[in-house]
Amino acid sequence: MKYKILNCPIFAVIALSFIFCVASCTKTEYRTVEDPAYIRVFNNLTYTLTLDNKEEAQPFFCMFIDPEFDASGKPIGGLAIGDFLDKRNIYAAPNAAHAGLSTSKYNPEYPGKELVPTAPILNGFDLTNWAQVSAGKRRFLFMARPISTVPFAQLPDEQQRKVFLDTIIDLSSREVYTLHILQKDFKTKENGLYVRQETFHKQSFSDTLTYVNFYNLSAKGFLQADLSQKLPVPGTTRSLRYGIRDTMNIFITHIQPSVNAAGATVQQRIPNFSYQYAGQILRNIGAPKVTPYYGFPIFLQDKNKIYSNTWQYIQLFAPSIDPRTAGSYLEPPSVPGGLTEPAVKDGTFGYILMDHAQYSPSYYLNTFFPGLTVNVHSGTANPRTFGVVNSIEIVNGNAFLTTVQRKYPQPIY
């Protein structure tokens, strides 16, 4: 009889009701930020310590916002803490790609994996990769720490006292900021914090276009330094590793894959969208201003009005070089097999290739980057192509892509 009672439906309902009742009595605290600003922090120090630069600090940090100190002056808390701040990834995806998917404590950005209040959707843009922090004058303290999985507070005392950067930033309410830890001078190794107040969520962008803008955040003197000091490190961009001039013209060519009569995939330039001038990229880390965005069509396939497989060949040329007539450079979509172009080492030429299909995050010298659109399951379509807002930032021979996504209809299964 006891066995029958324990397995009867009425007992199960009573038991479940008890569980739900107990669960409903559990207090859940939701953190809110009054009068917030929105921040995203990247560590752009891409160097690797060697015998030549062993005196530099490890490019690995614990960040404190409005830090609190113990009696000895050691940081022990604050308004917010971001530990294990590692070098940034080549691609900062538009979704919260790090949360819940990585088992490593290392964080390629802030907030990244940190469980903190994040920004809402503003003007249709998903800003969950930005953290909320109280607006006003905030003190940012970056402590250099060993590269390990030991939390900052558990490190030996002497390893909790290495100040790398200490600065105050005035954050305006409801504004969006991108922060970069940067090397300002390649020779003196001076470092600083670059703070850019974004405007993409305030601009009128077309839903049928995708957008990209460009920044050169390289240190003073990087291009002029001896080539031996600019040896490749994992993640280095193939054609930019020696640096580019302070002023470069940008040309974008759009490539359409197709299948020829032999069944092979061929890459062809779209005639009316080849060598399009997309503005200039200037080295300027002293005055962080948003640069103009270049917009272009998504190029949906003729037989499928929701998906695109085109990609972009971006070329950077020193002023006065015309890529349509300069014979020293391979024409898009040809991909050089190595650093054979004579102008690469003197900074007068560089290229970046943006294609989801050919991108490999594990490749030692990055040739292809993710594309400048996103392909996601939306509605009944899987995939569907959407335009996004991108920023390409060049830092001491590396290129980084950050993508911000508009809100789109949820998938239907």
Side-chain angles (χ1 to χ4, degrees), residues 220-350:
K220 175 185 177 183
F222 176 79
L223 174 64
Q224 294 77 17
D226 189 84
L227 299 182
S228 63
Q229 299 179 18
K230 298 183 280 192
L231 295 177
V233 296
T236 299
T237 307
R238 176 187 288 270
S239 79
L240 304 173
R241 55 186 276 200
Y242 296 113
I244 56 175
R245 298 284 179 92
D246 288 358
T247 301
M248 301 286 282
N249 289 329
I250 308 165
F251 296 87
I252 300 183
T253 297
H254 301 271
I255 312 298
Q256 176 71 64
S258 61
V259 179
N260 62 17
T265 300
V266 294
Q267 312 288 343
Q268 296 179 318
R269 289 189 286 112
I270 300 177
N272 293 332
F273 290 90
S274 298
Y275 301 111
Q276 289 199 316
Y277 178 69
Q280 287 190 326
I281 177 171
L282 308 176
R283 193 188 70 83
N284 189 351
I285 60 176
K289 296 181 179 180
V290 173
T291 60
Y293 287 92
Y294 163 78
F296 59 88
I298 301 175
F299 299 111
L300 299 178
Q301 294 184 24
D302 293 338
K303 295 181 181 180
N304 187 342
K305 298 298 184 182
I306 59 173
Y307 176 70
S308 172
N309 63 348
T310 57
W311 56 277
Q312 287 70 47
Y313 192 120
I314 300 173
Q315 294 173 296
L316 309 175
F317 287 95
S320 78
I321 300 177
D322 188 338
R324 294 163 294 186
T325 59
S328 300
Y329 311 94
L330 293 176
E331 291 188 5
S334 300
V335 179
L339 292 171
T340 57
E341 300 87 345
V344 169
K345 293 182 180 180
D346 67 11
T348 57
F349 170 71

Side-chain angles (χ1 to χ4, degrees), residues 138-160:
R138 306 268 76 88
R139 181 180 178 183
F140 282 75
L141 175 66
F142 294 89
M143 303 295 292
R145 50 152 300 152
I147 300 177
S148 72
T149 58
V150 178
F152 182 83
Q154 298 176 19
L155 292 170
D157 182 81
E158 68 274 9
Q159 295 180 357
Q160 298 182 49

Side-chain angles (χ1 to χ4, degrees), residues 34-247:
E34 294 184 4
D35 193 28
Y38 311 117
I39 64 169
R40 190 174 188 179
V41 184
F42 292 105
N43 171 11
N44 290 266
L45 299 180
T46 56
Y47 58 80
T48 300
L49 290 186
T50 65
L51 291 176
D52 295 328
N53 64 350
K54 63 182 184 299
E55 301 303 322
E56 293 188 59
Q58 288 272 26
F60 196 70
F61 306 104
C62 182
M63 179 187 73
F64 293 85
I65 301 177
D66 284 359
E68 299 172 357
F69 302 89
D70 66 8
S72 69
K74 183 173 64 179
I76 56 174
L79 182 66
I81 302 175
D83 202 356
F84 308 106
L85 185 57
D86 200 2
K87 301 175 186 179
R88 69 182 295 187
N89 288 337
I90 290 294
Y91 181 40
N95 54 305
H98 310 299
L101 300 178
S102 173
T103 58
S104 170
K105 290 185 177 181
Y106 297 178
N107 205 354
E109 62 182 83
Y110 179 86
K113 302 173 188 177
E114 300 285 353
L115 298 178
V116 297
T118 59
I121 293 174
L122 292 182
N123 196 23
F125 286 98
D126 183 351
L127 297 184
T128 52
N129 282 323
W130 273 259
Q132 294 189 37
V133 63
S134 297
K137 290 187 177 180
R138 306 268 76 88
R139 181 180 178 183
F140 282 75
L141 175 66
F142 294 89
M143 303 295 292
R145 50 152 300 152
I147 300 177
S148 72
T149 58
V150 178
F152 182 83
Q154 298 176 19
L155 292 170
D157 182 81
E158 68 274 9
Q159 295 180 357
Q160 298 182 49
R161 299 181 180 276
K162 299 179 180 179
V163 177
F164 185 82
L165 278 177
D166 189 354
T167 188
I168 294 177
I169 303 171
D170 195 355
L171 302 173
S172 297
S173 177
R174 312 287 174 178
E175 294 296 338
V176 179
Y177 296 89
T178 301
L179 284 64
H180 294 291
I181 304 171
L182 286 172
Q183 185 181 70
K184 299 176 68 175
D185 192 301
F186 189 72
K187 184 177 181 180
T188 66
K189 309 305 179 187
E190 178 190 358
N191 300 295
L193 190 63
Y194 167 98
V195 183
R196 184 172 68 235
Q197 183 173 331
E198 303 287 3
T199 63
F200 57 82
H201 59 295
K202 299 179 180 181
Q203 298 194 37
S204 298
F205 290 130
S206 171
D207 290 337
T208 62
L209 301 179
T210 197
Y211 296 87
V212 60
N213 67 351
F214 299 83
Y215 300 91
N216 182 359
L217 305 182
S218 299
K220 175 185 177 183
F222 176 79
L223 174 64
Q224 294 77 17
D226 189 84
L227 299 182
S228 63
Q229 299 179 18
K230 298 183 280 192
L231 295 177
V233 296
T236 299
T237 307
R238 176 187 288 270
S239 79
L240 304 173
R241 55 186 276 200
Y242 296 113
I244 56 175
R245 298 284 179 92
D246 288 358
T247 301

